[in-house]
Amino acid sequence: MSISSLPRERLLPLIVAVALFMENIDSNVISTSLPAIALDLGTSPIILKIGVTSYLLALAIFLPASGWIADRFGPKNVFRIAIGVFVVGSLICASATSLPHFVFGRVVQGAAGALMSPVARLLLVRSIDKQSLVDAMAWVSIPALLGPVLGPPLGGFITTYATWHWIFLINVPVGVFGIFMVTRYVPVIEAEKRDPLDLPGLILSGFAVAGLAFGLSVAGFDILPVPLIATLVAGGAISAVLFAVHSRKIEAPALDFSLLRLPTFRASIIGGSLFRIGIGALPFLLPLLMQLGFGLSPFQSGLVTFSAAIGAILMKVAAAYFLRRFGFRKLLTINALIGGFFVAICGLFQPGMSFAFIIAVLVIGGFFRSLQFTSINVLAYAEVEQRQMGRATTLAAVAQQVSLSAGIAVGAFIVETTVKRGGGGAISAEDFPLAFLIVGLATASSFIFFWLLPKDAGEQLSRKTPPQ
């Protein structure tokens, strides 16, 4: 079967998933390669962490504008250009000879990444029938779940057996292929209505998302002073309040919170944000536990945590079946509790424990977390009208970024607090159970928002069938 003969509901998700996989891998692959990059650039790994933070900052600043840009210039054009800009940013990073040179490349990558994820979803929800959206979103969800667990071991492998430059150079052929596929197979989709530019709203929401998402992201690392992080988060919160006041005065704000009046969108955003706290915390907590608690190398710990991705891949073939069998309300409610349980149970991992048990927990947990992630992403658009899709994908992307960053911050704060209470010595395996328990409870608490959904929520998407 040729590529062109594939139906649109299969071809488009594959094209989008390839591009998003490149972006998600690249945003996570750098962590294990910092020492090698720092050595070449004549700086220290600690200072070079600005390369991580500059990417996150650019990502946060440009996210709120993604919906308006896509509606103004067309999602196909924007997605294609975003891939190209990401490749350019990768080439800048690979050719870097100084810290400012490298940071500039990361900023370019972050700006492109801010457009890729929400615009990719917009392409799908405007191109694919809602009844086929479950399978499509399952493909798109996999890169977001694989990136945090596959990135670190891949970065370690490339740096060990090649050079760190290939972390970025590998994006060139992938990006060129992606641009070709988008040009050849993605249809041109125009917005039914182009909203006017809300410049004050974009500025306020940009400050809000940058302060909250960036501030919470770096709170888990020894990168910036605590007072500066607190200032960033507080500034982001104040900007968010000012934006909320501003958004009530105009018809088409940069972030349209009026969409939260829709029960399915509200459950997806609020319940989904709580659930993603666990998803955000796990890629941060598990490698630390494996390395500091079990004494594994970064590459070895990456191989262990990668087992969660196996569950995510297995989910791809099961998501549509579970939703047809149980429907969104029942599935999301029960699965929120199951997902929270498999996050919390990671707190039982101790040195000497069977790795077979650890991997089994991660595989099964990865399956259920991925199932929830996919279902939430689909449910968000059940009641959204086509003319609102650009604003809906933007708000969903912002909520996702902030909640994932919150997961990192919560996990890091609890571990640090536990260490200080224990006398402030070296971090050990005993410092992690409380963190896993709390983020697991936060994840499980999302069940409330799904339980409050109407019984027939998203029925037209799940094509629910009665029990046999």
Side-chain angles (χ1 to χ4, degrees):
M1 179 183 290
S2 65
I3 292 178
S4 58
S5 65
L6 288 174
R8 176 183 293 183
E9 58 269 19
R10 291 188 181 181
L11 182 58
L12 285 186
L14 285 172
I15 294 172
V16 167
V18 169
L20 293 186
F21 186 72
M22 174 183 68
E23 188 265 331
N24 277 278
I25 284 291
D26 200 90
S27 62
N28 292 280
V29 77
I30 189 176
S31 58
T32 51
S33 307
L34 285 176
I37 301 174
L39 182 64
D40 271 7
L41 299 183
T43 185
S44 72
I46 299 299
I47 295 176
L48 190 62
K49 283 187 177 180
I50 193 174
V52 177
T53 59
S54 58
Y55 179 93
L56 294 172
L57 184 59
L59 186 74
I61 289 174
F62 286 96
L63 264 179
S66 60
W68 181 86
I69 293 173
D71 283 342
R72 175 65 181 82
F73 300 102
K76 175 177 179 176
N77 288 331
V78 173
F79 191 57
R80 183 168 45 190
I81 292 171
I83 296 174
V85 173
F86 195 87
V87 169
V88 171
S90 299
L91 288 171
I92 294 173
C93 290
S95 62
T97 56
S98 66
L99 180 60
H101 189 173
F102 183 78
V103 169
F104 175 68
R106 293 294 286 171
V107 169
V108 173
Q109 283 187 313
L115 295 176
M116 290 174 70
S117 181
V119 175
R121 292 185 190 180
L122 185 58
L123 276 171
L124 292 182
V125 297
R126 282 188 176 164
S127 305
I128 296 177
D129 185 89
K130 284 190 175 183
Q131 291 185 341
S132 303
L133 205 53
V134 174
D135 284 329
M137 283 296 183
W139 281 108
V140 176
S141 299
I142 289 176
L145 292 160
L146 287 181
V149 293
L150 183 58
L154 180 62
F157 180 84
I158 292 175
T159 304
T160 301
Y161 296 104
T163 69
W164 65 266
H165 306 83
W166 284 98
I167 290 174
F168 302 102
L169 291 175
I170 199 173
N171 293 330
V172 177
V174 176
V176 171
F177 177 72
I179 292 171
F180 167 77
M181 294 295 288
V182 172
T183 302
R184 177 70 177 81
Y185 297 109
V186 173
V188 175
I189 307 163
E190 298 293 340
E192 293 182 4
K193 177 186 176 183
R194 291 180 180 177
D195 295 323
L197 176 63
D198 175 24
L199 185 57
L202 284 176
I203 294 173
L204 287 172
S205 60
F207 276 118
V209 177
L212 293 172
F214 176 69
L216 291 172
S217 295
V218 298
F221 304 95
D222 186 21
I223 299 175
L224 299 177
V226 173
L228 179 56
I229 294 175
T231 302
L232 285 170
V233 174
I238 293 171
S239 297
V241 172
L242 293 175
F243 173 78
V245 174
H246 162 79
S247 66
R248 294 183 178 184
K249 301 177 182 179
I250 60 175
E251 181 181 355
L255 295 178
D256 189 359
F257 289 107
S258 68
L259 290 167
L260 295 176
R261 296 171 188 165
L262 303 174
T264 50
F265 191 80
R266 181 172 61 248
S268 176
I269 295 300
I270 301 177
S273 293
L274 280 172
F275 189 85
R276 288 189 186 97
I277 287 178
I279 294 178
L282 276 181
F284 171 76
L285 292 174
L286 279 174
L288 279 182
L289 174 61
M290 292 295 116
Q291 294 175 44
L292 302 180
F294 284 66
L296 301 182
S297 69
F299 184 60
Q300 290 171 325
S301 71
L303 292 177
V304 173
T305 56
F306 176 68
S307 55
I310 298 174
I313 295 171
L314 293 174
M315 177 282 311
K316 163 63 190 75
V317 299
Y321 167 78
F322 278 110
L323 284 171
R324 284 196 301 267
R325 183 69 174 80
F326 299 105
F328 278 95
R329 180 177 181 267
K330 183 181 291 186
L331 175 66
L332 289 171
T333 301
I334 296 174
N335 201 40
L337 298 172
I338 295 174
F341 169 78
F342 276 99
V343 171
I345 203 175
C346 293
L348 298 179
F349 295 167
Q350 293 292 324
M353 179 175 286
S354 167
F355 275 103
F357 172 77
I358 293 174
I359 290 173
V361 168
L362 294 179
V363 169
I364 298 171
F367 176 90
F368 286 109
R369 286 190 296 274
S370 182
L371 176 62
Q372 192 82 347
F373 197 42
T374 298
S375 304
I376 290 170
N377 286 342
V378 175
L379 182 67
Y381 308 106
E383 299 174 279
V384 178
E385 298 178 8
Q386 279 295 330
R387 61 182 178 83
Q388 300 172 305
M389 284 298 183
R391 284 176 273 167
T393 54
T394 298
L395 185 55
V398 167
Q400 177 174 321
Q401 185 62 38
V402 172
S403 58
L404 291 175
S405 300
I408 296 174
V410 171
F413 175 78
I414 297 170
V415 170
E416 183 179 355
T417 302
T418 304
V419 172
K420 288 180 179 178
R421 286 181 178 177
I427 298 177
S428 65
E430 287 72 26
D431 298 316
F432 289 88
L434 182 61
F436 282 114
L437 175 62
I438 291 178
V439 297
L441 289 174
T443 298
S445 69
S446 65
F447 90 92
I448 298 172
F449 296 93
F450 304 123
W451 179 68
L452 293 173
L453 282 167
K455 290 184 179 180
D456 61 348
E459 194 171 59
Q460 72 276 27
L461 301 177
S462 64
R463 293 177 289 183
K464 183 174 178 290
T465 55
Q468 300 297 320

